[in-house]
Amino acid sequence: MGISIRYLPSHATAQEAVNDSFLKIFEQLPRQLAGLHSFKSWMRALVVRTAIDYFRKERKNFVVTGLDAHHESYATPDDAVDSQSVEEILRLLDKLPPVWKVIFNLYEVEGYSHEEIGKMLGISTSSSRVYLAKSKACLRKMITIQNGSH
């Protein structure tokens, strides 16, 4: 569920993706068992792909917010990011537009390349790079604001 919720905007949709993932796991496991090196890695990749499938289906419902209009440079000291807890950063990630959040997770957390992300989401490689840069800039700004208010 933790993987799905990182990619999908609602708990209900994430739960549907988890349910579908388990159906796929049980369906594909007999065929995969012989060549499977790591069950955990295979299962994780399957859950990520299923969540991305749901994300693509729901993408038409997402509205790109005014955050796209921000082209300012959000310079933040590196130690400001280091001082944030994982929970705080995840909470801030939830405030990003859905596409930015998904690309951030795929690139920074899952380790996919921009080419792979582009293929998964049906966008260009350069769009993936731009969305990642915007998500990082926006996160820096939110961290700066959060640190300034404490």
Side-chain angles (χ1 to χ4, degrees):
M1 184 64 173
I3 294 169
S4 286
I5 203 74
R6 280 200 322 257
Y7 294 98
L8 299 166
S10 77
H11 187 80
T13 306
Q15 185 63 52
E16 284 181 45
V18 168
N19 290 341
D20 279 357
S21 295
F22 276 103
L23 288 174
K24 290 176 183 179
I25 289 167
F26 291 127
E27 193 176 272
Q28 295 177 18
L29 189 58
R31 291 187 304 253
Q32 299 290 332
L33 206 50
L36 200 58
H37 297 304
S38 170
F39 176 74
K40 185 177 179 180
S41 298
W42 173 74
M43 186 175 83
R44 179 184 185 83
L46 194 140
V47 173
V48 168
R49 285 192 308 273
T50 302
I52 295 302
D53 289 345
Y54 270 80
F55 177 80
R56 279 196 308 255
K57 286 182 210 170
E58 297 293 319
R59 183 171 39 191
K60 64 183 173 291
N61 299 328
F62 300 144
V63 176
V64 177
T65 66
L67 292 172
D68 271 337
H70 290 77
H71 296 289
E72 305 164 24
S73 173
Y74 305 121
T76 303
D78 289 335
D79 60 341
V81 174
D82 293 340
S83 69
Q84 300 297 304
S85 73
V86 172
E87 293 80 21
E88 290 171 325
I89 291 173
L90 290 175
R91 192 172 37 77
L92 292 175
L93 271 173
D94 283 337
K95 295 180 180 180
L96 292 176
V99 173
W100 296 12
K101 178 182 172 184
V102 167
I103 290 172
F104 183 89
N105 278 310
L106 286 171
Y107 187 84
E108 294 294 341
V109 178
E110 303 295 338
Y112 286 96
S113 70
H114 288 293
E115 291 78 17
E116 292 169 317
I117 294 168
K119 287 178 186 173
M120 279 189 236
L121 300 179
I123 61 174
S124 69
T125 300
S126 61
S127 291
S128 175
R129 285 189 178 96
V130 168
Y131 286 135
L132 178 65
K134 287 181 178 187
S135 68
K136 286 180 176 182
C138 189
L139 282 171
R140 283 188 198 104
K141 181 179 180 187
M142 288 188 288
I143 289 169
T144 301
I145 292 169
Q146 184 177 8
N147 287 342
S149 66
H150 283 87

